[in-house]
Amino acid sequence: MTDAPKTLGEKHDQGKPDWSLVPLKAAEEIVKVLTFGAKKYQRDNWVKVPDGENRYLAAALRHLAAHQAGERSDSESGESHLAHAACCILFLIHKQLEAEKP
């Protein structure tokens, strides 16, 4: 009697987004900004901001301009201007995706 051949396990994940590509240390900087905002305002308050598309684009540009001018950290939060800008851009992506929903 022979042993049945061992087979490899299967995982059908081809074509799925590879979340392991996200640089988690950099993403943590964005999470710090989100945490600061949740404490200052309220969790998910950014979703309710009127004219959010224009206001978060303006905020992202302000943070990028401050970074370009050599200021690395936001004076109020102490967090990176780039992380603040990235956070604003995430908000804009979310709003765009929500607007495109059928």
Side-chain angles (χ1 to χ4, degrees):
M1 191 177 208
T2 61
D3 290 334
K6 293 183 180 183
T7 60
L8 297 175
E10 291 186 35
K11 177 84 174 93
H12 300 282
D13 54 5
Q14 300 81 4
K16 293 182 180 177
D18 185 353
W19 280 80
S20 70
L21 296 171
V22 175
L24 294 179
K25 197 74 174 155
E28 184 178 1
E29 297 304 305
I30 298 166
V31 172
K32 289 177 186 177
V33 171
L34 289 166
T35 302
F36 175 83
K39 289 177 185 173
K40 180 178 178 182
Y41 301 106
Q42 182 182 16
R43 185 181 192 94
D44 298 329
N45 177 74
W46 61 270
V47 176
K48 305 171 204 164
V49 172
D51 195 25
E53 293 83 0
N54 288 322
R55 294 173 76 184
Y56 285 115
L57 177 59
L61 293 171
R62 283 193 302 274
H63 285 290
L64 290 172
H67 175 81
Q68 186 178 34
E71 186 180 319
R72 295 299 179 239
S73 299
D74 178 73
S75 61
E76 183 182 4
S77 70
E79 303 300 340
S80 159
H81 277 298
L82 291 178
H84 274 277
C87 188
C88 291
I89 291 167
L90 284 175
F91 294 167
L92 292 170
I93 293 168
H94 173 83
K95 288 183 173 295
Q96 180 180 1
L97 291 171
E98 287 296 305
E100 292 173 356
K101 278 186 176 178

